[in-house]
Amino acid sequence: YQRDNTRLTLGTAVNNYVGDHFGRVMWTKSANVLPQPDYEYYRNTGKKLDYNAYAKLTQRLSPLFTGYLDLQYRGIHYTIKGNDDKAGEGLDIRKNWNFFNPKAGLSWQIDRNHRLYGSFSVAHKEPTRNNYTDGYFTEHPKAERLFDYELGYTFRNSRFTAGVNLYYMDYTDQLVLNGKVNDIGEAMAENVKDSYRMGIELSLGARITDWLRWDLNGTWSKNRIKNYTGYMSDYNQNWKELYTQTAIYAGDTPISFSPSFMGNSLISFNYKGFDASLQSQYVSRQYLDNFGIDENSLDPYFVNHLSLAYSFKLPSVKQITVGATIYNLFNTRYATNG
């Protein structure tokens, strides 16, 4: 519905997912060790019914101010039934969630080039299938809840763009990797009662000429768990045999796999059908667990990708584009996970 300064959107959606998960032994040196050829050693079925309804109202309050209100209800019915290679026999999970996700914001168009905005939103996210099947099953994971506060400013003219965005994300029961591994060595996640992510996002863009543009953005963030108790794993000489895990109180500590700075650069060139771009990314140190120990971390890295393309026309063809991309142009040695 749209009239004068009011725009209202109503919608609903229903999605149903059904997925079979199974494993088969494709080959063994001695065939007689299997009950039958192509032996299936586990099978379970996951079903997820996901439905929602929403209403979004955008209202122009004055020539300079526009507000919006977004309300969403989301329901999920989730089951996993069967047996599993990690969870064993009798996997029977039945969960129902009902989420209410509101969002409200206000934008102030100061003049043609300057805009100021702010928003508050609530979001919920259910655990994934792996959060159920990869764990030790002493307790089921909980859904995450997020309160998000944002305040930003943008500038734009024909040659130059700039923006700054401040955010504070307050989590309850955020699911984070905790350094634990299950019986087959896969990383596990757990809910942490109280955590947050806060930071500043900066962006700059310049159209240097009609055929050359440079865009930059960077995020400085602080990502912390409050009053955290984690676990350190000790292994014997045979690393496959986990023999003990020790609980350690860490207090306020960095969240794993959450770099405090990420920066991106994109230089793009376009001239008479020829396109080229150089994309660069810097990622600061990331910790592999929630203790903030440098020995258990990924080093910072800086990586570049170069893309080249040429577009041309033929009498009976609208356009043909031929291109190539060189990933990791300078052959940087780096790790993104561990």
Side-chain angles (χ1 to χ4, degrees), residues 5 54 73 115 122 172 193 201 213 236-237 259 312 314:
N5 296 322
Y54 66 90
Y73 163 77
R115 185 173 74 94
V122 180
T172 301
K193 182 175 178 56
E201 301 167 315
R213 181 176 178 86
N236 60 18
Q237 290 182 352
F312 57 93
L314 294 177

Side-chain angles (χ1 to χ4, degrees), residues 8 63-64 89 107 153 162 185 211 217 232 261 296 316 318:
L8 177 65
L64 299 180
E89 297 290 337
S107 175
Y153 162 82
W211 43 266
N217 65 69
M232 295 293 285
F261 175 74
N296 293 344
S316 59
K318 184 178 180 181

Side-chain angles (χ1 to χ4, degrees), residues 139 174 176-180 188-195 224-233 245-255 289-292:
E139 62 181 35
Q174 182 178 185
V176 301
L177 295 176
N178 60 4
K180 285 185 180 181
M188 293 168 51
E190 68 173 338
N191 293 107
V192 291
K193 182 175 178 56
D194 196 1
S195 59
R224 294 290 187 271
I225 302 171
K226 299 179 181 178
N227 300 314
Y228 178 69
T229 298
Y231 295 83
M232 295 293 285
S233 300
Q245 289 187 317
T246 304
I248 298 176
Y249 176 72
D252 290 4
T253 185
I255 300 175
D289 53 30
N290 301 311
F291 292 108

